[in-house]
Amino acid sequence: MHTRQEKMEAFGCFLDVLDELREKCPWDRKQTNESLRPNTIEEVYELSDAILKNDTQEICKELGDVLLHIAFYAKIGSEKGKFDIKDVCDRLCEKLVFRHPHVFGDEQAETAGQVSENWEQLKLKEKGGNKTVLSGVPSALPSLIKAYRIQDKARNVGFDWEQKEDVWKKVREEFGELEVELAHLDKDKAEAEFGDLFFSLINAARLYKINPDNALERTNQKFIRRFNYLEEHTMKQGKKLKDMTLEEMDAIWEEAKKKGL
């Protein structure tokens, strides 16, 4: 791999290119924090897709796109006289050193779990850090990921099930409450109970060290593969899905399953 000097030179070249674009490109020149934000979210999701596909080349490409956005925000910050990329790096280094006293200090942490538990306590102590345990969870996170992060942060301060198996009692309880509200045809209360059920299932996944977002995305991709097979098979027969019976579609679906799709 490349030397530290080569990496620093590459990063410097990148910053030079960004400076040039900001000065001379009409599109780059007009960008603001607000205009970049939607694109940044999109780039992060594209990186996430590449990671899920384990596509090394695509991961490298998407990391570059995300890095561009990070440097672009820092460039805008420097133009406003607020901060620049050095400030971003300095604050990051300070935070990493502060939050890893087991590496840069005298504290002990032998497992990743211990590090994670210490992390939240340190965040509450640091200057400009989170004021409360859950204040560090971004409000704009997708609900499934947000639920996982909320539960994980609560765990780090000891608010968790003593035995992971106990969570299933809660799941069954929430499912029962949902059935009651569905039977009563109360849409508002049923929606609330659906949320409670989802939250308890996400909690169960966390306790069993399964990332629920990854798990759901695997099922999404599996459904897409099988549904595409169903659609393609139907078209080859000169038919349309809406003209087929559910039994006919189920037969092709089972065929897709047997093929390992």
Side-chain angles (χ1 to χ4, degrees), residues 24-260:
K24 299 179 180 178
C25 173
W27 187 90
D28 288 279
R29 195 163 53 232
K30 69 179 289 188
Q31 297 311 306
T32 64
N33 286 338
E34 292 72 22
S35 68
L36 284 173
R37 179 179 173 274
N39 293 337
T40 305
I41 295 171
E42 182 179 342
E43 295 297 354
V44 172
Y45 274 109
E46 289 177 357
L47 172 60
S48 178
D49 285 343
I51 292 171
L52 288 173
K53 294 174 183 175
N54 196 28
D55 187 330
T56 304
Q57 291 302 313
E58 195 66 14
I59 291 172
C60 181
K61 170 183 171 294
E62 297 301 339
L63 282 171
D65 291 341
V66 172
L67 178 59
L68 170 60
H69 280 249
I70 293 170
F72 213 140
Y73 289 117
K75 177 66 177 175
I76 294 172
S78 70
E79 293 168 353
K80 295 179 178 180
K82 301 296 185 181
F83 64 90
D84 62 15
I85 193 67
K86 180 182 183 301
D87 297 310
V88 173
C89 293
D90 285 346
R91 291 192 63 177
L92 175 59
C93 287
E94 290 170 6
K95 180 169 66 175
L96 290 174
V97 170
F98 179 81
R99 293 187 186 177
H100 292 81
H102 54 288
V103 175
F104 301 103
D106 299 326
E107 292 192 18
Q108 298 295 316
E110 302 298 332
T111 68
Q114 291 174 329
V115 173
S116 183
E117 290 172 8
N118 293 339
W119 187 271
E120 294 302 330
Q121 299 296 329
L122 289 165
K123 287 169 73 173
L124 291 171
K125 293 178 182 177
E126 69 185 358
K127 184 179 179 180
N130 297 334
K131 303 305 180 185
T132 65
V133 172
L134 299 183
S135 63
V137 180
S139 59
L141 275 179
S143 296
L144 191 153
I145 300 174
K146 186 190 296 184
Y148 185 88
R149 293 295 295 131
I150 288 171
Q151 294 166 2
D152 195 48
K153 284 182 173 292
R155 173 191 67 83
N156 286 333
V157 294
F159 190 78
D160 204 1
W161 298 93
E162 291 186 3
Q163 301 293 330
K164 63 182 180 182
E165 294 80 7
D166 294 341
V167 73
W168 296 113
K169 179 180 178 181
K170 186 63 175 177
V171 171
R172 288 189 289 270
E173 175 188 321
E174 298 296 354
F175 184 72
E177 291 176 0
L178 171 61
E179 287 186 308
V180 169
E181 298 305 337
L182 289 173
H184 290 164
L185 302 178
D186 190 321
K187 184 178 179 181
D188 183 65
K189 290 184 178 179
E191 181 180 274
E193 294 301 339
F194 256 116
D196 291 346
L197 177 59
F198 288 154
F199 196 84
S200 64
L201 284 169
I202 292 168
N203 214 359
R206 178 186 60 81
L207 287 164
Y208 283 84
K209 302 188 184 304
I210 294 171
N211 185 298
D213 188 59
N214 291 348
L216 182 58
E217 183 57 23
R218 287 183 65 175
T219 296
N220 288 341
Q221 294 303 319
K222 179 170 60 179
F223 185 92
I224 290 171
R225 291 193 302 271
R226 292 177 181 176
F227 194 87
N228 285 345
Y229 180 87
L230 167 62
E231 191 171 27
E232 292 168 5
H233 192 87
T234 303
M235 291 174 63
K236 287 179 181 178
Q237 293 180 347
K239 299 179 181 179
K240 295 181 179 180
L241 285 174
K242 64 179 182 179
D243 298 326
M244 297 185 70
T245 66
L246 182 59
E247 289 75 14
E248 289 174 323
M249 287 191 282
D250 277 342
I252 300 173
W253 188 271
E254 290 299 320
E255 185 179 311
K257 289 173 65 175
K258 290 178 181 177
K259 289 179 175 290

